[in-house]
Every structure is written in structure tokens, then in C-alpha cells.
Amino acid sequence: MDKAVISDEVIFADISKFLGEGKEVRLNPKGNSMLPFIRPGKDSIILAKREDVFVGDIVFANVEDKYVVHRVIEVNKDAVVLMGDGNLKAVEKCTKADILGTVRTIIRSGTKHKTPGKAVVWRKLKPVRRYLLALYKIKRRLGI
């Protein structure tokens, strides 16, 4: 059977279009940058367009021609700073116009979890996040 391969750029362009039309989009994120709150291959998210973004929101953004699902850690007028929950130092900067949608729901094991929260405690634990993520990854490997 023949397979058609569609590039991420085409898929993400369509996602951007649907969000701009006011539609919700379900996405299966890849990568570990949002661990432990969004797990690749296990969780999916529902995105929707929102007029404004706030610190703590999880957003879908186009940053320097790549698409990311990361948390807003700072907002200054039109400038926004993003960081993945599973990242230790790396941040991205973009504008509000670069934010294409906001995560409205996280679907884990078939259960919808509305408004994923602002992760206030997780953000305050940034100085020890390295150790917490290491424990989380050990737990995952052991199947606990």
C-alpha cells in the first residue's frame, strides 16, 4: 500500500487556518519539552484561538519558522516568552501574533482534562526541576 507523507509545515499551516476560523483542533504533540504535563505518544491536546494570552497558558506558537507547544512564562505588551515545562533553561521569544492557539484541554488515557492550569507550583520549582524530571523519567522507565 502506498503512503502519502505530508510535511509538518503543511499540517501546521492547516492547523493555523482552522484556529483562525474559530475551530478547535486536536493535536498529538511530539517531543518531551512539555513533560510531565503533556506526554508524547500518550496524550493529545485540543487547541482553540483566544484573544489574549497570560502567564501560565500553554500555547501553540510559530517561533522562528518552527511550531512549538510551550508555556507562557512572561508577557510584556506584545512580546511573549515561552518555555517548555520539561525544559531546564531554553526559552523562545515571540509576539502575540505568533501565538496561533491555546491549549484548552489535555486528553490523557481517554479522559478530558479541561483548562490544564497555570502550573504555578511547577514554575516556582524551576531551580529543582532537573531533579524532579530525572525522577519522573526513572519512574517512567520502571513502569511505576
Side-chain angles (χ1 to χ4, degrees):
M1 176 177 6
D2 292 332
K3 291 184 180 180
V5 178
I6 302 171
S7 71
D8 286 348
E9 291 79 20
V10 171
I11 292 170
F12 292 141
D14 283 344
I15 290 171
S16 301
K17 177 183 160 218
F18 293 141
L19 291 171
E21 294 171 353
K23 297 176 183 173
E24 288 188 341
V25 176
R26 183 171 174 166
L27 179 67
N28 297 320
K30 298 185 230 175
N32 294 318
S33 68
M34 284 303 292
L35 285 174
F37 299 105
I38 300 174
R39 302 168 306 169
K42 293 186 178 187
D43 299 337
S44 58
I45 57 176
I46 296 177
L47 301 165
K49 186 73 172 169
R50 193 163 81 187
E51 290 302 314
D52 208 355
V53 295
F54 303 94
V55 170
D57 288 347
I58 301 172
V59 298
F60 174 68
N62 184 344
V63 181
E64 297 177 5
D65 293 326
K66 69 177 184 171
Y67 292 88
V68 298
V69 174
H70 283 170
R71 193 174 300 275
V72 175
I73 61 169
E74 189 177 324
V75 179
N76 294 316
K77 295 184 182 179
D78 191 46
V80 181
V81 180
L82 307 174
M83 181 180 204
D85 289 341
N87 291 349
L88 301 173
K89 293 181 182 177
V91 297
E92 297 90 13
K93 295 178 182 178
C94 65
T95 66
K96 287 183 180 179
D98 295 325
I99 295 176
L100 307 169
T102 302
V103 174
R104 297 292 194 167
T105 304
I106 296 174
I107 302 169
R108 176 169 287 171
S109 303
T111 303
K112 291 183 177 183
H113 300 276
K114 290 271 185 193
T115 57
K118 303 292 184 183
V120 174
V121 173
W122 183 251
R123 287 186 285 126
K124 289 183 183 206
L125 290 172
K126 187 177 171 191
V128 295
R129 195 181 285 182
R130 170 185 314 278
Y131 308 108
L132 296 172
L133 287 168
L135 289 172
Y136 175 79
K137 289 176 183 178
I138 290 169
K139 180 181 165 188
R140 275 184 40 200
R141 277 191 222 124
L142 296 175
I144 299 174

